[in-house]
Amino acid sequence: MNELLLRSLTPSVLGILVRRGADFAAAEDAVQDALIEAVRVWPADPPRDPKGWLVTVAWRRFLDATRADTARRRREDLLDEEPAPGPAPGLDDTLQLYFLCAHPTLTPSSAVALTLRAVGGLTTRQIAQAYLVPEATMAQRISRAKRAVSDVRFDQPGDVATVLRVLYLVFNEGYSGDVDLAAEAIRLTRQLAAAIDHPEAAGLLALMLLHHARRAARTAPDGSLVPLAEQDRSRWDTRVIAEGVGILQAALARDRLGEFQAQAAIAALHADAPTAAETDWVQIVEWYDELALLTDSPVVRLNRSVAVGEADGPRAGLAALAALDDSLPRHTAVAAYLHERDGDLTTAARLYAEAASKAPNLAERDHLTRQAARLNTRRR
């Protein structure tokens, strides 16, 4: 059973059902039923046309649910519209579906959560972590969004800003999480940037490319994380970096600064430094100041405290960190790093161990645990 194949086909199948008249919640349920059936049937009897098979089974499941729901008699005229046997259309519906999910009846945060869950393939827990809220809160938000659009025809696409936010979060999960979605997010963002005249679409594409160019150097052969300062920069993809910088420069030249362009500018400064010691931290702090004005994000201010610690010394970084809520994700890890830079190895080791216990994934937990062990060994 090819799980990646099923995941890649899901958005397109979902889009086909929505375009044929299924409401979003019912279409999602039908596609999930079809995926379960595929897991059961395909190992023994793989179809020649996986996408067509999923469309047919999902549509039949939707029709079965429609027949059983007497409150929705108005959909009975759909019952004779089952797709004909044979290969399904090859049209890529994923980007269109992102826009449809960003429906005007939903708040931007609800639209993003719904799209990440239904189209992006992220779990409720992963989405909750991205939004810094409890999993139960995010589950309720997604449920409310599904109810809000349960009887809505998806003929009013949402706004670009919401779609960009979804693509950004999908990329972040693919870049650092358990599911590899980064390449798909780049593909869709490239399509979007080519289709619309929007500097933030270009800014987001540049940001993705600049981060993705460093991906090969982010992990050691044993799978452990390699911090930016310790990465082998010869493994960075200079062709992708050059593309990202070129896209960013064209976007910035339009003088319509947005948060993705500001983030991309920070990534470009990291990519431009031949060594970690030659990083222009002063300019990075300036871009973080711009980004904080654009977003008022506590995560941005957390990252800024690291940059301040590099530009003005660890005590300046700790002072900036002290102004932030210590319950922020990775706050403890940042504090550990800055205390280590300041020479307080005892406090740094304790904080690294504490941060490891809060880490959102195994790779990060192992990295922080090793940092604590390294400092404890040095103090003996």
Side-chain angles (χ1 to χ4, degrees), residues 43-64:
D45 185 21
R48 285 180 294 179
D49 176 22
K51 181 177 176 181
W53 189 98
L54 286 171
V55 169
T56 299
V57 172
W59 186 252
R60 286 173 179 165
R61 294 299 171 92
F62 165 70
L63 295 182
D64 288 344

Side-chain angles (χ1 to χ4, degrees), residues 261-311:
Q261 295 170 70
Q263 288 191 59
I266 293 169
L269 286 167
H270 283 297
D272 187 54
T275 66
E278 296 173 87
T279 304
D280 189 346
W281 286 106
V282 172
Q283 194 173 168
I284 287 175
V285 171
E286 292 173 356
W287 275 111
Y288 270 122
D289 289 339
E290 293 280 359
L291 189 55
L293 290 173
L294 289 166
T295 66
D296 194 29
S297 165
V299 175
V300 168
R301 296 187 185 280
L302 181 70
N303 292 334
R304 178 185 178 277
S305 69
V306 177
V308 169
E310 298 290 351

